[in-house]
Amino acid sequence: LHAVTRKVGDEVHCSYTFTARHEGAPGIAHGGAVAALVDDVCGGLLFVVREPAVTRTLNVEYLRPVLVGVTYDLVARVDRREGRKLFVTCEGTDPEGRPTFRGGGLFLVVDLSHFDAATRGDDEAPVAL
């Protein structure tokens, strides 16, 4: 998606405009594109916690249509941490400041070897549990 995020204190901020290539219904961004953006922006929180992690679960709530050609502002944060578990949330607002979509989920902190084994196709690759 080429989303550009920036760390602001303990949060991650992003402004994003969906284009025609993201369209599902006419003039409306596809829900999968919105979910991918939420995942990307929440992934930016790894610069806040300064550890590698992977998405374990992701949920998105669509509060109103997400329109193509409109710039949305997103803010993501880590709500709490329990060991390796990072519980994250993200909210997208329209230019009038109205919540338009929100989401979040569970990210799991992993060792860097998680990525090495996964890219080798290793049957013994670490599982994100």
Side-chain angles (χ1 to χ4, degrees):
L1 293 173
H2 305 287
V4 176
T5 59
R6 63 192 182 285
K7 183 179 174 289
V8 179
D10 289 339
E11 299 177 333
V12 171
H13 293 220
C14 176
S15 292
Y16 195 81
T17 306
F18 291 97
T19 65
R21 68 187 170 115
H22 302 115
E23 198 171 62
I28 299 174
H30 189 284
V34 176
L37 180 62
V38 168
D39 191 37
D40 273 358
V41 175
C42 286
L45 290 166
L46 304 181
F47 291 101
V48 172
V49 298
R50 302 177 66 94
E51 295 181 86
V54 295
T55 308
R56 176 73 166 146
T57 61
L58 182 72
N59 60 70
V60 179
E61 183 179 7
Y62 306 92
L63 305 172
R64 57 184 76 239
V66 180
L67 304 176
V68 168
V70 173
T71 300
Y72 293 91
D73 291 317
L74 292 86
V75 176
R77 65 187 53 86
V78 176
D79 292 329
R80 72 182 193 281
R81 180 173 184 161
E82 295 175 8
R84 293 177 48 219
K85 297 178 181 179
L86 303 172
F87 296 89
V88 302
T89 55
C90 178
E91 183 173 76
T93 56
D94 67 14
E96 288 77 40
R98 297 178 299 186
T100 305
F101 55 92
R102 67 172 68 108
L106 172 62
F107 278 54
L108 293 176
V109 173
V110 295
D111 188 82
L112 287 176
S113 65
H114 172 87
F115 302 105
D116 294 336
T119 58
R120 284 194 315 265
D122 189 342
D123 288 339
E124 300 299 316
V127 178
L129 295 178

